[in-house]
Amino acid sequence: MNFERDKEQCLEKLEWAMSQLKVDVDKRELERITALIVQTMTGPWRYFHTPDHIFEVGGSANAIEVLAALFHDLVYVQVDQSVNFNLTFYISPFVQEVKEHLYIREAEYLPADRLFDLVMGTFGFEPGQQLSPFAGQNEFLSALVCALVLRTLLDEKLLLQIVTCIEATIPFRPEKDGLHAGEHLYLRVQETNERLNIGLSETELIESVQRAVRMANRDVGSFANPSSARFLDNTWSLLPETNHNLKNPSSYTVNEYRVALQKMAGFMNFLKPDLVFQQFKGEPNDQEFYNKLDRADRNIKIARLYLASKLFTMALLEALSRRFGRNIPLSTIMGELNPLGLPIEKLEDFLPDVPNRYPLTGETEQEVFDLLSKGRFSDSPYDIKNSPLTTLIVNIIGFDKIRDLLDRSKAFFQDEISGEDFLDNCDPEVVEIITDSLSKLFDSRKVALLTPVSS
């Protein structure tokens, strides 16, 4: 991350948006807002939800979308482990923490504030309600900060349209009462507009939700990336945001890495393509919308098999590592990441070259095999982009056998069977190759340790 570059770009976005909206603002005020946004978005756990993300989500064509995107991920409690201190000034009059959960204050303790009513109405929230990280908590608090920060600069009509965009970024919502998320949002914005007498016309209401859907679709746009390697790059950027132990590549354990993969695999297995993208009154048009759904379907299928294959590999490594401990760093088993190119041997250096014994079936298997052997689009700070060991395993037993053994892997992860029981169910050749390669790696370390340093 480049803090000064991010500040410069954020300030340019704010200045452009205000110019487009014909709002005259003191540059010092925009600099203050810039500092608030960028300091929050460059927190220590931010890997994916960074300034680059909000600049991309806002696009460059519509001032309301640009402003909404700058604020839409400002609060992300699961990632930051709290609400950033600088934001509590805006939030604490309206929200309280009780036993590690956030609640909107009861009505008698809420200050009279039209903008808070505007935000609460747009989200369909109520006084006293517990906020859920999985049901709009972060988006609601981000929208509240946005409205209060911009209240002296923009009128309520503009603020309602910006808040509408932020609400639409609550992801992966199924149909409810026969209506999609965008249709529910339209009804809430319509009611809020009438109740507070804000003055948006029917045309402006429809355009507000269309704009919100357009921005929300950009927010999850990686699901429609034509390159599965780039899609998985984004997935790998998300992992350390909620698995903070991955920040130090030398110390996270086999178990910790496996748990991170397992959570992401669980999410991908739950996710349906039609939950990813939204459509409202022709935005986007049918062709574009269904193209997005098709690409999302393809990427999700690829991600499921990719994660399942890597999880099976981690089950093997975790079962073997338990022979000498429960909290073994993955770098002890696989070898350290080596960005400086030092002569450090890794497990993959001792793996034999085994040709593929099982024909790949279908486009998904071919794509996943290429991702495992050649790699995702780029390395991440905590992991290499390719998977030599998983590639070897696929070559020896094929994807079908990996699928067959997934239930046994899950039973091992849940301690329903022992590591040795799990290994007994695995292909003996695979277990022998990994065990032999580990032994050779440890022998090489022993040799290095006992080699005297020349004076």
Side-chain angles (χ1 to χ4, degrees):
M1 295 182 185
N2 187 316
F3 187 74
E4 292 304 319
R5 182 211 66 185
D6 292 336
K7 282 177 61 178
E8 181 180 344
Q9 192 167 352
C10 184
L11 180 60
E12 288 175 358
K13 294 279 187 181
L14 284 169
E15 289 178 328
W16 178 85
M18 294 301 173
S19 173
Q20 293 292 304
L21 297 173
K22 296 181 171 51
V23 176
D24 187 21
V25 188
D26 189 319
K27 185 173 182 178
R28 289 173 299 179
E29 177 64 10
L30 295 184
E31 289 172 343
R32 183 186 71 82
I33 296 171
T34 293
L36 181 73
I37 293 171
V38 176
Q39 284 183 45
T40 304
M41 298 298 297
T42 53
W45 307 116
R46 299 280 184 139
Y47 284 81
F48 178 81
H49 295 96
T50 62
D52 284 342
H53 174 66
I54 60 177
F55 300 152
E56 180 180 351
V57 169
S60 58
N62 185 277
I64 290 173
E65 293 172 39
V66 167
L67 290 173
L70 292 178
F71 286 90
H72 85 285
D73 276 335
L74 213 54
V75 176
Y76 215 128
V77 176
Q78 305 96 296
V79 173
D80 298 326
Q81 295 188 310
S82 64
V83 175
N84 184 283
F85 180 79
N86 292 334
L87 306 182
T88 58
F89 172 81
Y90 301 97
I91 292 171
S92 59
F94 307 96
V95 176
Q96 63 179 341
E97 182 177 343
V98 180
K99 296 182 178 179
E100 298 184 354
H101 295 287
L102 297 180
Y103 291 80
I104 298 175
R105 295 183 185 275
E106 297 290 347
E108 60 264 36
Y109 299 112
L110 284 171
D113 191 299
R114 279 177 58 87
L115 284 185
F116 179 71
D117 288 346
L118 179 154
V119 175
M120 196 162 54
T122 302
F123 279 75
F125 289 179
E126 299 177 349
Q129 176 177 333
Q130 179 180 341
L131 300 176
S132 167
F134 309 106
Q137 168 187 275
N138 298 318
E139 293 82 2
F140 172 74
L141 297 178
S142 297
L144 177 59
V145 172
C146 176
L148 297 178
V149 166
L150 298 179
R151 73 183 314 162
T152 61
L153 307 180
L154 305 178
D155 61 33
E156 289 182 351
K157 291 178 68 173
L158 286 171
L159 290 174
L160 178 56
Q161 293 173 79
I162 293 170
V163 168
T164 298
C165 283
I166 297 176
E167 197 282 344
T169 63
I170 301 174
F172 314 129
R173 288 179 286 183
E175 227 181 75
K176 182 180 178 183
D177 300 326
L179 299 177
H180 294 291
E183 294 166 321
H184 282 290
L185 176 58
Y186 166 78
L187 294 175
R188 290 195 302 274
V189 175
Q190 184 184 56
E191 188 277 332
T192 301
N193 180 58
E194 292 177 1
R195 178 169 53 84
L196 296 178
N197 195 27
I198 291 173
L200 288 177
S201 67
E202 178 63 17
T203 299
E204 289 172 322
L205 286 171
I206 292 172
E207 289 174 347
S208 295
V209 179
Q210 289 175 322
R211 185 185 302 115
V213 163
R214 183 164 59 242
M215 193 190 93
N217 284 343
R218 281 200 300 272
D219 193 25
V220 292
S222 67
F223 279 89
N225 198 307
S227 165
S228 59
R230 288 184 180 273
F231 168 65
L232 285 173
D233 265 6
N234 285 327
T235 303
W236 248 244
S237 295
L238 288 167
L239 286 175
E241 288 199 332
T242 51
N243 299 277
H244 294 166
N245 38 46
L246 299 184
K247 187 172 184 180
N248 188 339
S250 297
S251 64
Y252 64 77
T253 67
V254 176
N255 173 269
E256 288 169 338
Y257 183 72
R258 182 265 294 175
V259 168
L261 293 184
Q262 196 173 6
K263 289 192 290 187
M264 183 57 73
F267 167 69
M268 288 293 178
N269 287 330
F270 145 81
L271 189 60
K272 298 178 181 178
D274 60 2
L275 297 181
V276 177
F277 293 105
Q278 304 179 50
Q279 185 183 38
F280 180 77
K281 293 188 180 298
E283 177 57 50
N285 63 55
D286 284 348
Q287 182 177 350
E288 181 183 352
F289 180 62
Y290 289 112
N291 282 341
K292 288 179 183 292
L293 294 185
D294 287 343
R295 289 196 295 268
D297 182 53
R298 175 179 178 272
N299 281 328
I300 291 170
K301 286 176 180 175
I302 288 169
R304 286 172 180 170
L305 182 56
Y306 180 84
L307 287 162
S309 303
K310 289 181 73 70
L311 265 177
F312 177 72
T313 301
M314 293 311 302
L316 285 166
L317 292 178
E318 189 167 353
L320 289 169
S321 71
R322 285 194 184 182
R323 290 177 175 176
F324 44 91
R326 277 264 181 173
N327 295 300
I328 307 301
L330 185 60
S331 60
T332 299
I333 303 294
M334 300 296 293
E336 291 189 5
L337 296 179
N338 191 9
L340 299 179
L342 300 174
I344 300 173
E345 291 181 314
K346 302 183 289 296
L347 180 64
E348 65 185 87
D349 297 327
F350 300 97
L351 298 175
D353 186 14
V354 178
N356 194 308
R357 300 174 185 173
Y358 292 85
L360 299 172
T361 304
E363 179 187 347
T364 299
E365 287 194 1
Q366 182 63 62
E367 187 78 14
V368 171
F369 185 81
D370 288 344
L371 288 164
L372 293 169
S373 58
K374 299 174 185 176
R376 301 182 302 275
F377 186 75
S378 56
D379 288 321
S380 71
Y382 65 92
D383 198 10
I384 60 174
K385 66 181 181 180
N386 63 326
S387 305
L389 180 55
T390 307
T391 302
L392 174 76
I393 293 169
V394 173
N395 280 339
I396 294 174
I397 67 173
F399 283 115
D400 282 344
K401 189 63 176 177
I402 289 175
R403 293 185 184 101
D404 290 342
L405 288 169
L406 277 180
D407 285 342
R408 299 296 288 173
S409 302
K410 293 174 184 175
F412 166 54
F413 296 152
Q414 295 166 4
D415 288 324
E416 295 172 1
I417 61 173
S418 70
E420 296 305 316
D421 287 338
F422 172 71
L423 292 172
D424 286 343
N425 282 271
C426 295
D427 185 281
E429 182 184 359
V430 169
V431 176
E432 182 181 353
I433 286 175
I434 298 175
T435 305
D436 183 59
S437 299
L438 279 170
S439 178
K440 291 176 180 177
L441 175 62
F442 294 156
D443 283 344
S444 75
R445 290 172 178 170
K446 179 181 177 181
V447 170
L449 177 64
L450 296 177
T451 300
V453 179
S454 57
S455 57

